[in-house]
Amino acid sequence: PISETLVLASDFLFQRESITSKNVDGKKGVILSDRGVYSFFTYQGIRLRKVYSGDHDWHQWIENIFNPVGMPNLTICLTAPIEQIERRLIERGDEVTNESLGFIHNAQLEFLRLGGKAENPQAFVVLENLDGEFAHTLKNAQRVVSDILIPPNV
């Protein structure tokens, strides 16, 4: 898992460099992604801790890899109760096991834990889909993005 983590990190950094090198005239760009550095921390951290026991701080190890490019200006974490996630997976026709639900639950908890470490609390926003209607959650996400990324006098 260490070598795979490094390969995945290399690809992640390459993609980011490819996108940011296209900024024109020094203007700051916006990158929107449904996956990002926090997802990378979450999934790779879980894998590394599972394979290598002990008290090594894998989060810090991964963070050191990404320090040169920095952390996102804004991360939106979409969560839902595990029962809703299970129902959605079944409705989609996905195979659902206790192991897969446990992994999803642990990934959500880890993602939220990492978000709590964000330097700027406004940069990590949690939106929970409590009502099962994604339209409500989407509207909240659009409001948050607008509030944070679009200056008030625009």
Side-chain angles (χ1 to χ4, degrees):
I2 291 174
S3 60
E4 290 172 1
T5 298
L6 291 171
V7 168
L8 291 169
S10 176
D11 181 61
F12 187 96
L13 293 169
F14 175 78
Q15 295 300 324
R16 181 171 173 153
E17 288 171 349
S18 297
I19 292 168
T20 57
S21 70
K22 295 177 184 173
N23 288 343
V24 180
D25 300 326
K27 293 180 181 176
K28 187 175 181 180
V30 175
I31 299 171
L32 297 177
S33 170
D34 67 339
R35 298 286 185 259
V37 71
Y38 286 107
S39 291
F40 189 93
F41 285 168
T42 297
Y43 295 118
Q44 294 309 307
I46 288 171
R47 288 184 68 221
L48 291 166
R49 279 194 306 276
K50 185 175 180 180
V51 172
Y52 301 102
S53 58
D55 59 354
H56 187 76
D57 188 350
W58 290 109
H59 171 77
Q60 186 61 53
W61 182 78
I62 296 169
E63 189 173 310
N64 289 338
I65 295 170
F66 286 92
N67 273 341
V69 296
M71 297 301 284
N73 296 79
L74 172 64
T75 298
I76 298 175
C77 177
L78 301 175
T79 66
I82 197 68
E83 299 80 23
Q84 272 189 20
I85 294 171
E86 179 180 22
R87 188 177 67 244
R88 284 183 21 221
L89 291 171
I90 291 169
E91 287 171 359
R92 267 191 345 207
D94 292 347
E95 181 181 348
V96 177
T97 65
N98 287 337
E99 183 180 8
S100 65
L101 290 176
F103 180 82
I104 292 168
H105 178 72
N106 288 337
Q108 278 196 133
L109 292 177
E110 179 68 5
F111 203 90
L112 294 172
R113 185 187 72 78
L114 293 172
K117 291 184 169 190
E119 289 181 27
N120 176 5
Q122 281 188 308
F124 192 94
V125 178
V126 177
L127 296 176
E128 188 167 24
N129 188 9
L130 292 174
D131 56 12
E133 295 295 326
F134 190 71
H136 173 72
T137 305
L138 178 60
K139 186 175 180 178
N140 283 339
Q142 290 169 335
R143 180 188 48 77
V144 167
V145 170
S146 175
D147 290 350
I148 292 174
L149 296 181
I150 301 173
N153 52 358
V154 171

